[in-house]
Amino acid sequence: MLLIHCPYCEEARPEVEFAYGGEAHIARPVDPSTYSDEQWEEFLYIRSNPRGRHHERWRHSHGCGRFFNAVRDTVTDVFETTYKAGEARK
Amino acid sequence: MTGFRLADGGRIDRRTKRNFTFDGKARWGYAGDSLASALLAQGQMLFGRSFKYHRPRGILGAGVEEPNALVTVDRGPGRVTPNLRAPSVAIHDGLKAVSQNRFPTLKTDLIAVNNVLSAFFPAGFYNKTFMWPRAAWEKVYEPIIRRLAGLGDSPTTRDPDHYDATYAHCETLVVGAGPAGIAAALEAAATGGRVILIDEQEEIGGGALSDPAQWAWLAEASAKLAAMDNVTVLSRTTAIGHYHQNFVVAAERLTDHLAVNEAEGPREKLWRIRAGEVVLAMGAIERPLVFEGNDVPGVMLASAAKTFALRYGVAVGRKVVVMAVHDSGWRDALALHKAGVNIAAIVDLRRDVASDLIEGARDARIACYQGYAVTSISGGQAVKGVTIALAGFGKGQQLDCDAVLMAGGWTPTVHLWSHAKGTLRWDEAWGAFVPDKTHENLRCVGACAGAWSFGKGLPGGLLPAPKPLHESKAFVDFQNDVKARDIGLAVQEGFRSIEHIKRYTTNGMATDQGKTSNLNGLQIASGVLHRPVTEIGLTTFRPPYTPQSFGAILGHHKEALFQPLRKTVIDDWAASHGAVYENVAQWRRARFFPQGSEDMDAAVARECRTVRSAVGVFDASTLGKIEVVGSDAAEFLNRMYTNPWKSLEPGRCRYGLLLGEHGFIIDDGVSARLAPDRFHLTTTTGGAARVLNMMEDYLQTEWSDLDVWLTSTTEQWAVIAVQGPKARRVIEPLMEGIDLSPEAFPHMAVREGRICGVETRLFRVSFTGELGFEVNVPAEHGRMVWEAIWAEGQKHGAVAYGTETMHVLRAEKGFIIVGQDTDGTITPDDAGLGWAVGKKKPDFVGKRSLARPDIVAPGRKQLVGLLTDDPQAVLEEGAQIVADPNQPVPMTMLGHVTSSYHSATLGRSIAMALVAGGRDRMGETLHIPMPAGTISAKVVAPMFYDPEGSRLNG
Amino acid sequence: MVEIAEIAVSAAELKLGTEPVQGDGVRLSHADPKARYSLRARDAKVLAAVIGRALPGKIGDTDGGIACLGPDEWYALLPAGTDLPRVEGLPASVVDVSSRALGLVLEGPGALAVLSSGCPLDLAKMGVGRATRTVFETVEIVVWREAEDRWHVEVWRSFATWLWNAFLAVMPHAK
Ligand SMILES: [Zn+2]
């Protein structure tokens, strides 16, 4: 079970308190109607799925309830960092 | 010497006898004996039959690495555990152990014919032979192979034991309590941090238990550890696996070492340990040597013989020959000699052996054969002698003996290190992989770190032999019956990677995970391939380190505690009124309330008719509820739901349809605006948590500028639906401060007031098509209000109805159930809910997807009604629908039935279905092929009752 | 086919105890009835002013029966009958959830072990007067350490029966 540092609680907490939220920094467009079908498909379904550094969202569901972002190595599962939602990509 | 018990020595208590049975025969040992040592003491050499060839097998090791001596221990009904390793089973009075893999008895095993035919069972035999015909696999091959190749029998009854579990935290966790582990624990404990020291054996000490010179120190260290408040010592506890960030799962065996009548409390305890630092002190396992006949009972590891003699006071033979390629064999031989075991000879493949070892052997009058190898063993069920030859090829020379000890060098136990994704490096001196790097706060000490001196030796375990490899019966993996020649064959057939060789030969894939076979297999593959070991790679170790009961993994959470069963506050009332239940998500809900001898159909028909003609009361408390508060609440809902919310007046309700960004229906529910900045949302029972999470997601990450907060109120409110033409008359006398007249309180309105003296949020809504109300009251008052409504309802002929009736009533009206009439690929238009999509709204979640080419393309599945030609035929939900019942299989399937019931109100069956191009097929007859014959049905609008909705205005 | 016997007690038969249960070193009981509020606000000062009470500033802290559970979330556990005003027109939210949860109390030197049997937090390191949302196995709870050996556990009403019995299962010699 992973230990995940919640940037809001400012402490490492057990994985079972968290929910994974998919790839991070995929912002919903301000006006989706301006997106072409291809752009919209990209937004909906296309993810980077890297080997190595992955920017992803987690929610401290059974803790402070906050969504936040993390950089996790998909090979080792080691969290490089976690940071609050809205902060720039790290 | 009595039997094979040495006159003195060992840690056994010779004053306390323990009686047990093995294969039904009375046996005995001393307190402190393992099943293996007690049986060896009585001369038992044969312990089991091998997995594939049913060859007789004895003891190989003295610990968890034991591949051969697997036993089933029977502790009474439901308490039969197969595949236990005899050296790891502590004896107690009344222990019943049974050998495995023999038919009908251990000595006379009929299936041993496999052994005679073994030339026909090489690696890959099963894969190659039993491929065709396919049907024969299920009926013929598999049952026979299962009979032949079982590893003990799986339990067939419920496990009556219970199991404990806990989380634990410490600054330092030490796995393995041999000298290195104990030293590490003492050192860590001195700093004051919490220390947990775990060890799989009956008592701590590890290798020191087999070395009387260390016993005084061991006793002192044990006492010191026991006296420290910050130290927890867990013996009989196996670290099953290391998971991320030093999360180590261990299982403690609490009662299996006790007589059945003394065993109290949980059988095992699962420790889920989070440690700041993990110190692995798991030691090393001696490697067998690979030579012809190395699996004959009586051939075992030298270190095991030493343990049996020095820890248990048992000689493994009366005349013992040691076959070594490593100094430790000499040392063990000398220790055995000192303990009173007759060592007839030490054979070593090496010509050069340290002079002190040779002198020691000479002083003990042990014959030494340097440069020699054992080339064969005589004896079938027990060793009668060995043949040795110079360099393995010279002229054979017979030595009489009844036991042969193998000293093939040592393999550090790196399993948990590997679980933690620690890397390994090849150590030539050890002839093994040793720990290298890790990103965890994890270190190895002692032998598992490669930091322990067992002396020097040759790295390879395959002895030179006069026979070519492909004729040899030299075993590598004893438990899976893999021979050196199988590995040769695998290479010959083109396998190069050790991962492939492993799977083809099954080397290392038995329940011991190759603890004694991996390295020898690797070395042999390396030799055949003429490539260095490091280029061949290493197979992956995975948890559990040793086989683990499922019971401990479940912990307390089995049977009644397996998972929470959520009940509403009205559930008890329902139980006392004969409710039959169904589970919906984690909730149990009253499904119907049979009276007398009614079956479900009769009860549901009566409940339906009563709701339509009078009134019914329904517990809707499980509906998900969310309080949405804030000045931007309406704006937020407007963005989330398909329909417009900003214009909704306080005091009014609206049906909300929620899509995912992909445009498909996720949830629905009626929601009310209580005040300009306060909404009471409802969701489906199963969707409550999901919808709240989705809304939080948008609120926190997309629209964090909105002043809106969400609070789950699912469990705050009990919800009592009162539905039917007499609904108003039932609740009217109980209400305070709410004008229920149709003018003051129209359909789809909400009012706050009081009922039976407690606050209520009263909704005028209907999921039945009848005049209806939903009474929300704080859950603690739910039961009281329900009973008051029920009492009042009795004056009007009310029924209590359950979810089945609710389903029928809503289907008669064509109301969908998300998840039943939708399947995650259904758009609002597909479901006939296009009206609920705000055409003028510039955006809402999922809107863009509704314009995608596939979504607007013709021919999508659409929700329709079906009326069977035979009005009494009730279609099966999930049944497939075709246009032409006579086309050959595979037929073109147009869709499937989503909801289907007998409607008492209509006196016939009704159904809803998702059908390709459904709305263009109105009036068409479609067909539903069923095993008993094809059923025909006409496509109609999914609205079977009161299409004008006039009944809402009762 | 193997016939597996019916289980002795099914989940449906579990009962939520009403009377305190004493085990070796640990006692399980119901907390006194409480008024419960979920409090939310962008700015704690606005909320504090509306309800007329101080709010703890850091996640995990408590003050006067109010715990800070998240950056904009507080949970008030007040004597039954306490009324907090509904906020209107301000960037804050006050929702009465008095009926949503039940409070169970574990007390005694063995309480920590009972809670640790299913809660993955290092509770020994949780200070007195701290509170947090977490889980007990699969069930969400709020743990509030009221004293060295007294833990108040908030759990949603419909999970309370399971939790009560899960505690009992690990309480030694519970009577
Ligand atoms: Zn948090």
Side-chain angles (χ1 to χ4, degrees):
Chain A
M1 177 165 55
L2 295 165
L3 265 184
I4 300 170
H5 185 269
C6 173
Y8 293 92
C9 294
E10 294 179 334
E11 62 175 323
R13 306 268 292 211
E15 184 186 346
V16 287
E17 289 183 350
F18 296 83
Y20 179 67
E23 187 168 356
H25 301 296
I26 299 174
R28 186 178 194 272
V30 176
D31 183 0
S33 69
T34 61
Y35 267 40
S36 68
D37 285 338
E38 289 71 27
Q39 284 172 310
W40 188 245
E41 177 200 15
E42 175 100 4
F43 164 74
L44 278 183
Y45 297 119
I46 308 303
R47 298 295 179 263
S48 63
N49 193 25
R51 179 183 165 85
R53 287 183 98 231
H54 187 230
H55 290 75
E56 58 195 26
R57 301 172 348 126
W58 287 81
R59 183 180 180 209
H60 195 186
S61 316
H62 301 299
C64 65
R66 291 285 108 182
F67 281 86
F68 60 90
N69 294 325
V71 184
R72 182 180 57 99
D73 188 311
T74 57
V75 178
T76 62
D77 276 336
V78 172
F79 282 86
E80 181 183 306
T81 186
T82 58
Y83 51 100
K84 292 179 179 176
E87 287 179 18
R89 184 186 181 92
K90 290 196 176 172
Chain B
M1 198 160 88
T2 321
F4 286 80
R5 187 72 73 175
L6 293 165
D8 49 31
R11 296 174 69 84
I12 47 172
D13 174 3
R14 292 179 192 249
R15 287 162 307 178
T16 312
K17 269 195 179 183
R18 300 275 189 234
N19 294 300
F20 66 96
T21 64
F22 181 62
D23 283 344
K25 274 200 210 142
R27 304 296 188 109
W28 66 273
Y30 292 120
D33 258 327
S34 70
L35 179 62
S37 67
L39 288 171
L40 282 171
Q42 301 190 356
Q44 178 86 34
M45 275 293 165
L46 181 59
F47 276 78
R49 291 275 173 174
S50 70
F51 177 68
K52 192 160 144 194
Y53 306 126
H54 283 241
R55 283 170 69 92
R57 289 282 166 79
I59 294 280
L60 180 76
V64 294
E65 72 277 15
E66 174 58 41
N68 291 331
L70 301 185
V71 297
T72 296
V73 170
D74 181 352
R75 293 174 66 84
R79 294 190 165 97
V80 179
T81 311
N83 302 335
L84 294 173
R85 298 157 300 277
S88 299
V89 174
I91 61 162
H92 55 74
D93 277 327
L95 173 73
K96 276 194 235 172
V98 183
S99 62
Q100 295 180 175
N101 260 13
R102 78 285 189 277
F103 177 76
T105 69
L106 193 50
K107 274 201 103 161
T108 323
D109 179 288
L110 297 178
I111 301 162
V113 67
N114 273 13
N115 186 28
V116 180
L117 302 176
S118 70
F120 304 105
F121 287 84
F125 171 77
Y126 291 125
N127 321 33
K128 288 172 190 162
T129 312
F130 295 120
M131 288 209 325
W132 303 102
R134 207 165 146 175
W137 176 254
E138 261 175 47
K139 294 203 169 67
V140 185
Y141 304 142
E142 192 177 320
I144 293 177
I145 291 169
R146 285 199 184 279
R147 175 111 190 98
L148 299 186
L151 267 175
D153 293 325
S154 10
T156 54
T157 51
R158 193 174 286 284
D159 181 352
D161 276 310
H162 64 283
Y163 296 82
D164 201 357
T166 193
Y167 287 97
H169 302 264
C170 61
E171 279 62 54
T172 307
L173 169 69
V174 182
V175 180
I182 289 174
L186 284 169
E187 192 185 319
T191 66
R194 293 168 294 179
V195 175
I196 299 176
L197 172 63
I198 62 181
D199 191 272
E200 66 193 355
Q201 298 208 54
E202 292 294 302
E203 55 178 327
I204 65 166
L209 296 171
S210 308
D211 182 2
Q214 295 193 57
W215 290 355
W217 165 84
L218 177 58
E220 196 184 310
S222 302
K224 204 169 166 189
L225 288 167
M228 284 192 272
D229 284 344
N230 59 332
V231 178
T232 306
V233 178
L234 303 171
S235 55
R236 298 190 188 94
T237 305
T238 303
I240 300 167
H242 180 291
Y243 303 85
H244 300 106
Q245 283 137 304
N246 282 349
F247 189 69
V248 173
V249 176
E252 181 182 12
R253 292 169 294 281
L254 299 167
T255 58
D256 276 2
H257 64 290
L258 301 171
V260 173
N261 58 355
E262 288 168 8
E264 253 182 53
R267 180 181 175 220
E268 294 178 16
K269 180 172 184 175
L270 190 77
W271 290 80
R272 295 169 282 184
I273 305 167
R274 179 77 68 181
E277 183 189 32
V278 173
V279 180
L280 298 178
M282 299 178 69
I285 292 170
E286 193 168 32
R287 285 195 292 275
L289 292 166
V290 183
F291 56 87
E292 180 88 13
N294 64 345
D295 68 327
V296 174
V299 182
M300 67 173 71
L301 298 173
S303 57
K306 181 179 140 191
T307 292
F308 286 120
L310 296 171
R311 180 170 170 193
Y312 299 106
V314 174
V316 298
R318 291 193 166 83
K319 197 170 186 190
V320 178
V321 168
V322 176
M323 175 66 232
V325 298
H326 196 278
D327 294 352
S328 68
W330 293 71
R331 292 180 184 167
D332 289 346
L334 295 173
L336 284 165
H337 168 78
K338 210 175 141 197
V341 178
N342 176 26
I343 306 293
I346 301 175
V347 184
D348 197 318
L349 186 58
R350 300 172 297 171
R351 283 180 183 279
D352 296 325
V353 176
S355 56
D356 61 316
L357 296 175
I358 294 171
E359 279 159 29
R362 293 231 169 98
D363 291 348
R365 301 188 178 184
I366 299 170
C368 299
Y369 298 89
Q370 287 141 260
Y372 279 76
V374 170
T375 55
S376 70
I377 299 284
S378 42
Q381 297 200 349
V383 172
K384 296 199 176 83
V386 293
T387 305
I388 63 171
L390 190 63
F393 301 102
K395 189 172 175 304
Q397 189 176 337
Q398 304 285 327
L399 300 177
D400 270 359
C401 62
D402 58 358
V404 177
L405 308 185
M406 302 180 281
W410 294 81
T411 306
T413 303
V414 296
H415 292 67
L416 264 67
W417 175 267
S418 299
H419 297 172
K421 293 182 178 161
T423 59
L424 299 166
R425 66 177 173 79
W426 179 253
D427 186 299
E428 200 60 41
W430 278 76
F433 286 99
V434 296
D436 191 14
K437 292 196 184 77
T438 176
H439 57 258
E440 297 276 5
N441 191 5
L442 175 71
R443 65 192 167 96
C444 293
V445 296
C448 78
W452 200 259
S453 179
F454 290 101
K456 291 185 173 141
L458 297 175
L462 179 65
L463 296 185
K467 276 189 192 173
L469 188 65
H470 68 268
E471 286 174 20
S472 140
K473 277 192 184 173
F475 283 83
V476 179
D477 184 322
F478 295 92
Q479 196 168 106
N480 261 358
D481 265 351
V482 180
K483 289 177 275 200
R485 73 183 196 207
D486 294 323
I487 294 169
L489 179 65
V491 170
Q492 194 186 315
E493 297 199 350
F495 295 94
R496 292 293 177 269
S497 148
I498 195 65
E499 292 284 2
H500 295 151
I501 292 170
K502 164 180 165 173
R503 279 157 185 81
Y504 191 59
T505 61
T506 74
N507 192 60
M509 287 173 69
T511 68
D512 61 352
Q513 272 196 65
K515 290 187 177 64
T516 55
S517 63
N518 281 339
L519 257 292
N520 280 336
L522 199 57
Q523 297 266 19
I524 291 165
S526 153
V528 183
L529 284 164
H530 305 292
R531 282 165 56 204
V533 164
T534 46
E535 281 182 22
I536 293 172
L538 183 66
T539 55
T540 313
F541 295 114
R542 292 196 170 84
Y545 173 62
T546 51
Q548 177 54 48
S549 72
F550 283 108
I553 292 167
L554 271 179
H556 298 284
H557 304 113
K558 61 178 223 169
E559 300 183 353
L561 288 175
F562 180 65
Q563 64 164 338
L565 180 71
R566 305 174 70 182
K567 295 177 183 175
T568 73
V569 293
I570 296 153
D571 182 273
D572 276 351
W573 185 95
S576 65
H577 286 75
V580 173
Y581 293 95
E582 68 171 338
N583 289 352
V584 181
Q586 280 185 309
W587 292 95
R588 83 161 182 175
R589 304 190 68 180
R591 190 174 186 191
F592 58 96
F593 291 84
Q595 289 182 356
S597 58
E598 275 181 345
D599 62 6
M600 183 173 87
D601 289 346
V604 169
R606 174 181 49 75
E607 289 171 14
C608 286
R609 280 193 299 263
T610 312
V611 173
R612 295 254 182 255
S613 64
V615 62
V617 192
F618 174 70
D619 178 7
S621 302
T622 64
L623 277 184
K625 297 163 216 86
I626 301 168
E627 190 109 329
V628 182
V629 181
S631 51
D632 295 319
E635 171 65 26
F636 175 66
L637 296 182
N638 208 48
R639 296 186 193 183
M640 292 303 303
Y641 285 108
T642 58
N643 38 359
W645 288 80
K646 290 208 250 192
S647 57
L648 188 69
E649 296 284 324
R652 300 292 304 193
C653 303
R654 183 157 287 172
Y655 173 76
L657 193 58
L658 187 68
L659 309 184
E661 212 62 89
H662 46 41
F664 302 128
I665 296 170
I666 281 188
D667 205 87
D668 69 349
V670 169
S671 299
R673 189 170 200 168
L674 300 169
D677 59 357
R678 186 174 291 254
F679 287 78
H680 177 125
L681 256 57
T682 71
T683 73
T684 58
T685 294
R690 190 170 57 238
V691 170
L692 181 59
N693 185 67
M694 174 179 168
M695 289 186 171
E696 278 289 348
D697 191 348
Y698 277 91
L699 205 46
Q700 290 183 31
T701 69
E702 300 291 355
W703 307 320
S704 57
D705 56 317
L706 295 184
D707 274 340
V708 182
W709 289 273
L710 309 173
T711 304
S712 171
T713 49
T714 301
E715 299 235 37
Q716 167 68 16
W717 302 102
V719 184
I720 303 160
V722 185
Q723 303 275 313
K726 296 179 180 172
R728 186 181 287 113
R729 274 182 268 173
V730 171
I731 61 166
E732 206 150 33
L734 307 173
M735 301 299 311
E736 296 163 47
I738 301 177
D739 180 351
L740 295 183
S741 67
E743 305 71 41
F745 191 28
H747 182 56
M748 295 299 268
V750 65
R751 297 289 180 269
E752 292 181 86
R754 300 183 82 75
I755 184 168
C756 308
V758 301
E759 65 164 313
T760 183
R761 289 176 180 177
L762 182 67
F763 287 64
R764 186 174 161 192
V765 289
S766 173
F767 199 43
T768 59
E770 301 297 326
L771 167 68
F773 300 90
E774 286 184 3
V775 180
N776 287 253
V777 290
E780 63 187 302
H781 304 300
R783 173 74 185 265
M784 179 270 289
V785 174
W786 170 277
E787 290 198 41
I789 290 173
W790 176 248
E792 201 56 40
Q794 293 312 290
K795 300 172 190 167
H796 304 281
V799 286
Y801 67 96
T803 50
E804 191 64 24
T805 293
M806 178 268 280
H807 276 162
V808 177
L809 295 172
R810 65 88 201 176
E812 288 169 350
K813 290 293 298 174
F815 296 144
I816 65 160
I817 301 252
V818 172
Q820 176 168 344
D821 302 298
T822 69
D823 63 2
T825 67
I826 301 301
T827 66
D829 186 63
D830 298 341
L833 296 172
W835 58 266
V837 177
K839 304 289 180 299
K840 292 187 205 135
K841 285 172 69 173
D843 191 16
F844 55 82
V845 172
K847 179 179 167 73
R848 174 64 185 82
S849 286
L850 298 182
R852 295 186 66 209
D854 281 354
I855 304 294
V856 297
R860 288 188 61 82
K861 285 184 184 169
Q862 293 170 327
L863 195 73
V864 295
L866 290 180
L867 289 176
T868 50
D869 292 349
D870 170 3
Q872 296 315 308
V874 179
L875 294 169
E876 203 166 296
E877 288 172 359
Q880 294 292 323
I881 300 164
V882 301
D884 173 8
N886 299 317
Q887 62 182 308
V889 174
M891 302 165 107
T892 306
M893 292 177 286
L894 298 176
H896 69 278
V897 178
T898 59
S899 292
S900 175
Y901 311 93
H902 178 79
S903 162
T905 305
L906 300 169
R908 61 154 301 137
S909 68
I910 55 169
M912 287 153 79
L914 285 167
V915 175
R919 285 201 291 274
D920 294 334
R921 295 179 187 271
M922 287 299 155
E924 249 180 61
T925 293
L926 297 177
H927 306 275
I928 299 93
M930 297 300 291
T934 296
I935 301 170
S936 304
K938 201 161 84 186
V939 179
V940 298
M943 168 69 88
F944 304 96
Y945 185 66
D946 186 28
E948 307 77 30
S950 58
R951 300 187 62 85
L952 289 171
N953 310 319
Chain C
M1 237 345 239
V2 171
E3 292 290 326
I4 299 289
E6 286 288 307
I7 52 177
V9 181
S10 73
E13 290 164 302
L14 292 180
K15 291 274 179 283
L16 175 61
T18 52
E19 295 306 309
V21 180
Q22 184 69 50
D24 288 353
V26 55
R27 181 178 188 266
L28 169 65
S29 62
H30 284 276
D32 294 338
K34 300 282 182 191
R36 299 176 169 85
Y37 286 91
S38 173
L39 308 174
R40 307 290 297 275
R42 204 176 279 287
D43 180 352
K45 279 187 262 124
V46 172
L47 180 59
V50 174
I51 63 170
R53 287 163 191 265
L55 293 174
K58 267 197 77 183
I59 298 174
D61 281 352
T62 68
D63 186 359
I66 299 177
C68 182
L69 296 184
D72 67 349
E73 181 184 5
W74 292 263
Y75 188 60
L77 206 55
L78 302 168
T82 310
D83 258 331
L84 294 187
R86 246 195 209 186
V87 178
E88 266 168 46
L90 288 170
S93 157
V94 175
V95 177
D96 182 352
V97 290
S98 298
S99 240
R100 185 176 73 174
L102 294 174
L104 304 182
V105 176
L106 284 167
E107 51 199 327
L112 177 68
V114 172
L115 209 45
S116 293
S117 70
C119 175
L121 295 180
D122 190 353
L123 295 168
K125 288 200 168 165
M126 183 172 169
V128 171
R130 300 271 298 171
T132 184
R133 195 185 279 127
T134 181
V135 291
F136 186 90
E137 299 299 352
T138 58
V139 171
E140 184 176 286
I141 55 174
V142 173
V143 174
W144 196 314
R145 190 171 198 174
E146 294 180 331
E148 185 65 25
D149 278 350
R150 185 183 159 92
W151 305 79
H152 178 108
V153 180
E154 285 281 297
V155 61
W156 283 9
R157 184 175 282 273
S158 69
F159 293 102
T161 303
W162 181 89
L163 187 64
W164 178 275
N165 285 281
F167 284 161
L168 283 190
V170 275
M171 280 173 61
H173 305 109
K175 280 194 266 310

